[in-house]
Amino acid sequence: EKDIRIVRKKFEDKTEKDDCKLKMSLWINSKNWCEQLKWDSLYNKCIEIKKYIDKYNLIEDKESVVIGISGGADSVCLFLVLCELFGSDRLVAVHINHMIRDKAADEDEKYVVDLCNEQRVKVVTFKKDIQKMAIEEGLSTEEAGRKYRYECFEAVANEYGATKIAVAHHKNDVA
């Protein structure tokens, strides 16, 4: 059984720059694996990210943002950072269950819904047989998944009046 929990703690830091930093750990425990992601100074990273967002006008004042969240480390990190920076009222989370990984995909969906509820962020979920879509449209599974994801993001953005869509990738992603 999968045990997922978010741990947020304030801790004292004796540096000259900060009196207090936010420490966050994401624990994902399963039968044979455990991964811990740590942001020892999430507060400082949030400030860096906010400066970057402001510098390039990526998210303007009062703009709403649709955020794609798979339940993986990249999208959960982006989700938590945007929650920290902009609060829950300006975000709408979108999760797509591609029906590829059976029970694991259903568990990811439940995790995302629970996380969004915990953070008080609106969440919209979609479920589609992407392998079937890929065959019907003559696409690779990756292409079909990407196409469907962005159709969902745009539909939710239109429904909620969001002007931006945020997705997370790491430098080795090809999706």
Side-chain angles (χ1 to χ4, degrees):
E1 184 175 66
K2 202 177 212 182
D3 174 29
I4 303 174
R5 63 185 186 273
I6 303 291
V7 182
R8 295 174 58 163
K9 299 177 186 173
K10 287 191 174 182
F11 66 98
E12 293 300 318
D13 183 7
K14 302 301 180 190
T15 64
E16 294 176 19
K17 293 181 182 178
D18 303 289
D19 293 328
C20 187
K21 292 182 181 179
L22 186 63
K23 184 174 186 178
M24 179 176 288
S25 298
L26 169 65
W27 291 90
I28 304 172
N29 298 316
S30 188
K31 291 178 184 174
N32 296 321
W33 56 277
C34 180
E35 180 181 357
Q36 180 187 23
L37 300 168
K38 290 184 180 179
W39 294 271
D40 288 331
S41 58
L42 179 62
Y43 177 77
N44 288 338
K45 289 294 178 195
C46 283
I47 289 173
E48 288 177 39
I49 293 167
K50 180 71 166 102
K51 285 179 183 176
Y52 186 86
I53 288 169
D54 290 345
K55 180 178 179 180
Y56 295 102
N57 300 313
L58 298 176
I59 301 173
E60 304 281 340
D61 288 342
K62 299 181 183 176
E63 270 187 317
S64 294
V65 180
V66 166
I67 177 167
I69 180 167
S70 66
D74 298 343
S75 64
V76 169
C77 179
L78 176 64
F79 173 79
L80 293 172
V81 167
L82 291 180
C83 285
E84 198 71 32
L85 291 176
F86 300 106
S88 61
D89 294 342
R90 294 175 56 190
L91 303 176
V92 181
V94 174
H95 175 79
I96 293 93
N97 180 335
H98 295 96
M99 298 174 62
I100 294 174
R101 296 179 303 111
D102 299 321
K103 187 178 177 185
D106 294 336
E107 290 172 354
D108 284 346
E109 183 176 340
K110 181 184 180 323
Y111 168 66
V112 167
V113 169
D114 290 347
L115 177 63
C116 291
N117 288 335
E118 180 182 297
Q119 296 294 320
R120 294 182 175 90
V121 172
K122 291 181 281 293
V123 61
V124 180
T125 62
F126 295 87
K127 191 170 192 171
K128 185 167 182 94
D129 186 338
I130 294 299
Q131 290 175 326
K132 181 179 176 186
M133 177 186 169
I135 292 167
E136 289 172 351
E137 296 190 20
L139 301 171
S140 71
T141 303
E142 292 80 14
E143 290 170 322
R146 185 180 314 108
K147 179 182 177 189
Y148 185 66
R149 278 193 304 277
Y150 281 91
E151 288 171 358
C152 294
F153 297 154
E154 299 220 3
V156 171
N158 288 335
E159 181 180 342
Y160 285 91
T163 53
K164 299 293 170 72
I165 296 171
V167 294
H169 298 286
H170 58 77
K171 68 179 181 176
N172 296 322
D173 268 347
V174 290

